[in-house]
Amino acid sequence: MSDFTNSIKKIFTRKNTKTEKARKSPLSQRNTQLIIAIAIFFAIMAIGRPSTFLSSTNVSSMLVQIADLGIFAMAMAVTMIAGGIDLSIINLANLAAVVNATLLKAVVTESMSSGTIWLLLFLCLIISLVIGLLGGLINSFLIANLGIPEILATLATMNLYLGISHIITGGRGIIGFPQQLLDIGSGHLGFIPVPFIIFIIVAVVLYIFIHRTPYGTHVKLFGLNQKATFFSGINNKKVVYKTHIIACMSAGIAGLLIMARTNSATVDYGGQMILITLLIGVLSGIPATGGAGNVINIFLALFLNQLINSGLNILRVSSFIREMVPAALLIAIVSLEYYLYVINNRRLNKQALEKSRQLNGEGAEKEAVT
Amino acid sequence: MNTITKSKFTETKFYQTLTSLMAKNETMLVISIVVMSIVIGTINNKFFAVETIYETLLATVIWGIVGMGVALVMINGGVDLSCMPIAMFSAYSATKIMLWIAPNAPIIVLFLIGMVIGAGLGLVNALFISIFKIPIFIATLALGVIYKAVMLEFIGNIYITPAEMPQSALDFSRTYVFGGLHVSVLIMLGVILLTFFILRFTVIGRGVYALGGAPESAERIGYNMNRLKFSIYIYAGIMYAIGGVVYVSNSRLADPYDMIGTELTVIAAVVLGGVSLMGGKGSVWGVLLGALLSVIIKNNLILIGVTSDWANFVFGLIFVLAVALQAYNTARSKKQSA
């Protein structure tokens, strides 16, 4: 949380030192921008519709909605930081859900004790993780060992996983699971819904991976420049494998969570979600080409996205427009970022040119004197 | 002595042409199409009837025409996910506009309106991709969703029934030549030939390959990057529009929810056709053969004994294998050249 507190400190204490770091205004920092945007949206909503927006049911339903989208967004963000993309996560999550659902349907009987069912659910978690691991291995094998571009490789495996789920279910949804699983999906721990807590756990694990391990540094460098990491002795293949395994295993957990939350397992849940996860990644300041990223920012971007979503809901915008908003935002943000980058580059170039001119000018004068 | 060297010479040349042919992706495709046809033909003896062949060709038309655009974008180094939204957007709004302005105009008017709209949408794609430098995949994914939403919100979300369709479109869907070959097959062949000539014999066409293979070198030879990209995306938009109009006329129904969501089928066909996502590689004939192969596989899965539940899986598997095979070939040719 140090970045978070730092950013808050930066808002209130503006230092005017001449060091490079302090010259960057906090407003240009992504987490500050996100906090301001969240505050504005929150204020508009809270003032405009205090009765509906601030009600505890609305807040807790927002937290529940964040949970599985959040895990997908985190998974996608890890691959985006590595300069890639993983389109197969949603279908992999559905595959995990479908496998677990068929298993639970086959095994669980009315007379089972609560203890055995909890044990079974634990087994389900392990199965989800194993499915995630296998999916990640397949994806990264295609990418790292065969050298297939990530978009194409994951597009292909996305279809493969969808096909496997189709074989298992025959395309039908599976509904009706033991009460214990539904308790996870709809339960509350104090005020906070359980799915949200699960999401927080996943997010913390990812935070540790990205910000506190050598792998985190490697993956950022890998996203910046693969050739450089290769020549500096980082095992590129290992980075790809780790990235996709992390993403796919989180997707497996998300699959189980969706099952618990919706009491159903379908082959094509969340068709639009890929776009939204990309949007959240871009909102959180991950460049479209990869190389940087921050879990705290992803968290803030998720909240912002959720606020925008519920704002559209409350405004009763037509469903077509609501589908379009994330896409339009995605395009707008990436375009704006490129535009700012170009302007900044131009400014830096100008500065450098002036500096070199000054130096050259001085040099010429000195030469003339001597 | 003389004869011996001669025979050796022919032997080696024959051997060389054979190996170079075998290394070609198109040859592999032809072989797999022939094998598939023999397998299916032995199970179903109607497969080799002229009508079945004509039908297969007719089913290939959409994938072949739209595939031209997708292939161009892929040679440029990206996956275009906005192909089907553009196709449906242009076809649906062209039908609406034609019904509104001149319901009795000839079919060429429908095509022209659709192509103008398609070119416009391709221009929007090019704008974001070449001016704002958004990665092709992200741009086309988002823009595809936007096109679909704009169409459903502002142009219409109710399908146009066969009774309401323009008369010329209905006539078009019943036009056959050469004793049963649908006229849209000729349109597909025309489009493919046109693309072939543009890619092979024009400066822009060579630029497309140069841009995909080595963008920096292409820029240094003097290609105007932006102009090249704009022409690629506008041409691709026109292709999608033609595909969409043909589809709508042939099915005699303009359903705005139709077609969208089948982008992956086209992309798979194009990848199967040997167009490399690394850019700079691919031929129009490969795309045609890839589309043909995927149609043959798709239409005859049930005949071979694959149930519809397995169809998705088989499609996914073929997609993965095609991609893997292509990557393997690229790696091998790199090794050979090194």
Side-chain angles (χ1 to χ4, degrees), chain B residues 13 31 41 89 173 194 205 221 231 242 260 268 330 336:
Chain B
K13 197 176 183 188
I31 290 171
F89 189 112
S173 72
L194 179 70
I221 322 169
S231 23
I242 295 175
I260 296 173
T330 328
Q336 273 175 358

Side-chain angles (χ1 to χ4, degrees), chain B residues 251-334:
Chain B
S251 55
R252 297 171 205 162
L253 181 77
D255 178 2
Y257 293 95
D258 211 351
M259 255 180 134
I260 296 173
T262 55
E263 293 88 9
L264 292 180
T265 322
V266 188
I267 292 165
V270 170
V271 172
L272 209 61
V275 179
S276 162
L277 188 68
M278 324 272 194
K281 250 188 205 168
S283 77
V284 290
W285 306 113
V287 175
L288 174 63
L289 291 172
L292 203 59
L293 183 60
S294 56
V295 165
I296 290 175
I297 293 171
K298 253 198 160 166
N299 284 4
N300 295 292
L301 274 179
I302 297 167
L303 261 179
I304 309 172
V306 180
T307 58
S308 60
D309 294 338
W310 282 75
N312 260 317
F313 173 73
V314 171
F315 173 66
L317 202 63
I318 289 168
F319 199 166
V320 172
L321 285 180
V323 170
L325 192 73
Q326 200 190 81
Y328 172 74
N329 276 340
T330 328
R332 202 181 53 179
S333 66
K334 247 185 207 167

Side-chain angles (χ1 to χ4, degrees), chain A residues 85 87 142 146-149 151-152 155-160 162-164 166-167 170 272 275 278 288 318 320-321 323-324 327-328 330-331 334-335 338, chain B residues 79 128 131-135 137-139 141-143 145-146 148-150 152-153 157 257 264 277-278 309-310 312-313 315-317 319-320 323-324 327:
Chain A
I85 201 166
L87 303 168
L142 292 175
L146 294 181
I148 303 170
I151 291 174
L152 213 51
L155 209 59
T157 52
M158 175 180 129
N159 268 298
L160 196 67
L162 178 71
I164 297 172
H166 259 287
I167 293 172
Q272 282 281 318
L275 191 80
L278 282 173
S318 93
F320 305 129
I321 297 289
E323 240 172 57
M324 192 178 93
L330 181 62
I331 291 275
V334 182
S335 307
Y338 178 73
Chain B
V79 174
F128 282 108
I131 306 290
F132 288 106
K133 301 274 189 301
I134 302 180
F137 180 81
I138 293 180
L141 175 67
L143 286 170
V145 172
I146 292 175
K148 185 187 163 198
V150 167
L152 293 174
E153 177 74 23
N157 47 32
Y257 293 95
L264 292 180
L277 188 68
M278 324 272 194
D309 294 338
W310 282 75
N312 260 317
F313 173 73
F315 173 66
L317 202 63
F319 199 166
V320 172
V323 170

